[in-house]
Amino acid sequence: MPTELLFRQDAYLTETPAKVEALNERGGIVLDRTVFYATGGGQPGDAGRIRLADGSEIAIGTTIYDPEDKSRVIHVPLEGQAAPQPGDTVTLLLDWERRLKRMRIHTALHLLSVVLPFPVTGGSIGDGDGRLDFDIPEGGLDKAEIGEKLNALIARNAAVSERWITDEELDANPGLVKTMSVKPPRGSGRVRLVSIEGIDLQPCGGTHVRNTSEIGVVAITDIEKKGKQNRRVRIALA
Ligand SMILES: [Zn+2]
């Protein structure tokens, strides 16, 4: 059974009841549904707790997709945790503080790709900071100017929303795809588009804030040269 990805429908869900479907040989816990984002697209998997019926808790260090079956999500416990039984009803509790910082950074990186409209070759999201790598033929990027433009977009208080389109619609609009390294997931017949009202539209399966105002002020902390054409731009929540 594929794990139901509740974070795709509502990134603000911090807990859910769930049923234990299986345990893998390394103690990883598969549930029928999850609010934990699984590692992907440069964003780390969520941490949090699984509360059992008797009130005891299992600390979860990270969340990944099952390498053998990408439709299943594995909650990876920290060392030395008790194990639930398949069939148990549990409550999943997300480490929301950390996730919200990642959502703010993730949404800010969408805006950074508008400020710097170049092909994106990589990226990563941390707890309060993140980066994008751009394929830029000429150097000379101005940190202060990029920061001003980015914060001006954030200050537009633009609504962020998601919708699904078919693969055919995506093929008819190839300009929607900005990332060269991360192709939007294909094969399911539909693709998830993330819209920042009046500013940006691109395929993405990640978690975002509902309005750019929630990002707050962001600083450009560094611009590095990575090879002849690559520029790595780092940002952080101020
Ligand atoms: Zn995104």
Side-chain angles (χ1 to χ4, degrees):
M1 279 272 290
T3 308
E4 194 184 348
L5 308 179
L6 300 177
F7 59 83
R8 283 271 168 82
Q9 297 148 33
D10 183 356
Y12 285 75
L13 273 180
T14 58
E15 63 173 89
T16 182
K19 199 179 90 196
V20 178
E21 294 274 332
L23 302 180
N24 73 8
E25 62 279 11
R26 289 179 303 281
I29 301 164
V30 179
L31 304 173
D32 63 338
R33 57 207 328 235
T34 190
V35 294
F36 285 23
Y37 182 81
T39 305
Q43 186 169 328
D46 281 328
R49 294 166 290 144
I50 292 177
R51 183 178 294 153
L52 306 181
D54 67 2
S56 65
E57 291 185 343
I58 298 165
I60 301 299
T62 190
T63 307
I64 57 171
Y65 289 102
D66 185 344
E68 268 125 53
D69 176 359
K70 293 272 165 53
S71 75
R72 303 205 315 172
V73 167
I74 297 175
H75 304 81
V76 183
L78 297 178
E79 295 264 334
Q81 302 290 306
Q85 294 296 316
D88 280 359
T89 298
V90 298
T91 304
L92 196 53
L93 303 148
L94 173 66
D95 179 345
W96 171 244
E97 226 172 280
R98 220 185 298 182
R99 158 75 87 69
L100 180 58
K101 280 184 192 158
R102 292 171 182 172
M103 282 165 48
R104 291 165 66 197
I105 285 290
H106 184 130
T107 311
L109 290 177
H110 278 245
L111 295 176
L112 183 63
S113 78
V114 174
V115 173
L116 295 171
F118 303 100
V120 173
T121 58
S124 142
I125 294 155
D127 302 334
D129 59 8
R131 63 166 170 85
L132 281 183
D133 296 340
F134 295 93
D135 187 352
I136 302 178
E138 299 295 323
L141 296 181
D142 187 77
K143 232 200 253 189
E145 188 190 330
I146 295 167
E148 267 170 41
K149 286 182 178 169
L150 182 57
N151 283 301
L153 290 179
I154 291 168
R156 276 164 63 175
N157 301 342
V160 182
S161 60
E162 291 108 19
R163 64 186 168 89
W164 294 86
I165 61 166
T166 62
D167 285 352
E168 291 73 37
E169 284 174 86
L170 183 67
D171 288 337
N173 298 279
L176 291 174
V177 184
K178 290 183 179 172
T179 50
M180 289 157 65
S181 62
V182 188
K183 295 265 180 279
R186 306 295 294 249
S188 65
R190 57 187 208 143
V191 173
R192 186 176 186 251
L193 284 186
V194 174
S195 155
I196 303 181
E197 199 180 8
I199 298 175
D200 185 45
L201 181 66
Q202 61 178 291
C204 186
T207 55
H208 312 86
V209 293
R210 289 177 182 140
N211 191 290
T212 59
S213 61
E214 292 180 50
I215 300 170
V217 175
V218 165
I220 307 294
T221 50
D222 199 19
I223 298 175
E224 294 165 50
K225 199 172 167 183
K226 303 294 268 187
K228 203 171 157 212
Q229 295 212 332
N230 245 313
R231 296 294 178 282
R232 174 166 290 178
V233 181
R234 293 184 185 276
I235 67 170
L237 302 175

